[in-house]
Amino acid sequence: MLHQQELLAAAAKMLANARHITVFTGAGVSAESGVGTFRDAQTGLWSHFDAQQLASQEGFAADPGTVWRWYQHRLAIVEAAQPNPGHVALANLEMLAPHFSLVTQNIDDLHERAGSRHVIHLHGHIGRFHCNGCETPYTLRSGDREAPMPPCCPHCTAYIRPSVVWFGEMLPEQEMQKAWRAAEHCDVFLVIGTSGVVYPAAQLPAIAHRRGGAIIEINTERSALSALAEVLLLGPSGEVLPKLLDALPRTSL
Ligand SMILES: [Zn+2]
């Protein structure tokens, strides 16, 4: 226990002295709120579909109704979930730090609902929609959620799709640039709940590290990023983050 206390104190000191903190969150943070990963959600009815069928342009072209219903199913899970104490701690940290960036790989809005003001979503938003043809944003209408097929765009008649990044698609350019800048310019880069294997999860901490940012990692187990971490705090982020905020020296931020 003493060891964990010392690590918390070391990490808190780094955060307290930082001018710019960049936080990077992944699936583990949402999983603690009951929003599972893509594969976790593939239970029951959905267990016999594969990811390529449900989250790709090819799968959408082949069976738009199934993809639509899959995303409505996942959206309902997100809406029923609540931010956990880790989300809340990050929203509080944002208010304490001089400069703060939060980059997430998660497509839910749990960070926003916990009070985070500026969230950079690298993989899009499950609660937003746009036209698959002309890309005009679309607001869901009554009946859309339960419909067997996606609605059609009022401008060009192509199908409406969720504004998430599918397999084989580029990450949104603006968000990528913001995330890169946030990694380059931070003093402390806090990696939370991501294994760091998938692009760009592996790159962002490496950029921060190369530019002199100190890496703090919070994960339930060691990851591909742990070698870069100055401090590794093992445990669920919903438990570690509130403790980390409690460990901050009261007057320094
Ligand atoms: Zn359109």
Side-chain angles (χ1 to χ4, degrees):
M1 270 331 276
L2 183 64
H3 191 50
Q4 178 84 349
Q5 285 302 332
E6 285 166 355
L7 290 173
L8 280 168
K13 193 173 172 199
M14 288 158 66
L15 290 174
N17 292 330
R19 287 182 320 268
H20 185 160
I21 298 168
T22 293
V23 178
F24 183 51
T25 64
V29 175
S30 294
E32 289 175 38
S33 282
V35 177
T37 62
F38 199 97
R39 284 182 206 292
D40 293 336
Q42 280 176 273
T43 55
L45 275 176
W46 301 102
S47 55
H48 58 283
F49 289 98
D50 73 31
Q52 292 288 339
Q53 278 175 283
L54 295 168
S56 69
Q57 205 52 260
E58 295 73 24
F60 190 54
D63 190 351
T66 294
V67 172
W68 182 254
R69 292 192 303 279
W70 159 250
Y71 277 95
Q72 295 307 323
H73 161 71
R74 292 187 70 202
L75 177 56
I77 293 172
V78 166
E79 287 171 336
Q82 295 299 325
N84 65 59
H87 291 108
V88 174
L90 290 176
N92 290 334
L93 186 60
E94 177 172 3
M95 291 192 289
L96 297 172
H99 295 283
F100 184 88
S101 307
L102 175 53
V103 183
T104 188
Q105 296 172 279
N106 300 331
I107 57 177
D108 58 64
D109 61 351
L110 293 170
H111 283 305
E112 285 90 344
R113 280 157 57 196
S116 288
R117 302 276 189 81
H118 304 289
V119 186
I120 302 165
H121 281 267
L122 288 183
H123 292 170
H125 304 259
I126 196 167
R128 295 188 194 171
F129 299 87
H130 68 270
C131 171
N132 197 38
C134 69
E135 300 186 355
T136 306
Y138 179 87
T139 305
L140 291 184
R141 299 170 186 187
S142 127
D144 285 347
R145 297 283 299 263
E146 304 77 26
M149 291 290 284
C152 290
C153 174
H155 307 288
C156 77
T157 75
Y159 282 126
I160 299 300
R161 57 166 287 177
S163 299
V164 299
V165 178
W166 281 339
F167 291 101
E169 292 184 323
M170 305 279 284
L171 300 186
E173 181 66 29
Q174 270 199 335
E175 279 72 12
M176 283 293 281
Q177 285 177 4
K178 285 185 199 168
W180 243 247
R181 271 202 304 274
E184 283 173 349
H185 296 299
C186 68
D187 311 293
V188 175
F189 190 95
L190 192 51
V191 186
I192 311 171
T194 181
S195 58
V197 181
V198 185
Y199 176 86
Q203 280 77 6
L204 287 171
I207 290 167
H209 186 254
R210 201 160 58 229
R211 291 296 203 96
I215 313 288
I216 300 171
E217 179 184 3
I218 301 174
N219 261 325
T220 50
E221 52 191 34
R222 290 186 70 86
S223 77
L225 303 169
S226 300
L228 294 179
E230 221 159 283
V231 178
L232 168 62
L233 296 163
L234 288 174
S237 55
E239 291 174 18
V240 174
L241 278 167
K243 285 185 198 162
L244 183 54
L245 255 79
D246 282 345
L248 287 176
R250 285 288 147 229
T251 51
S252 55
L253 282 177

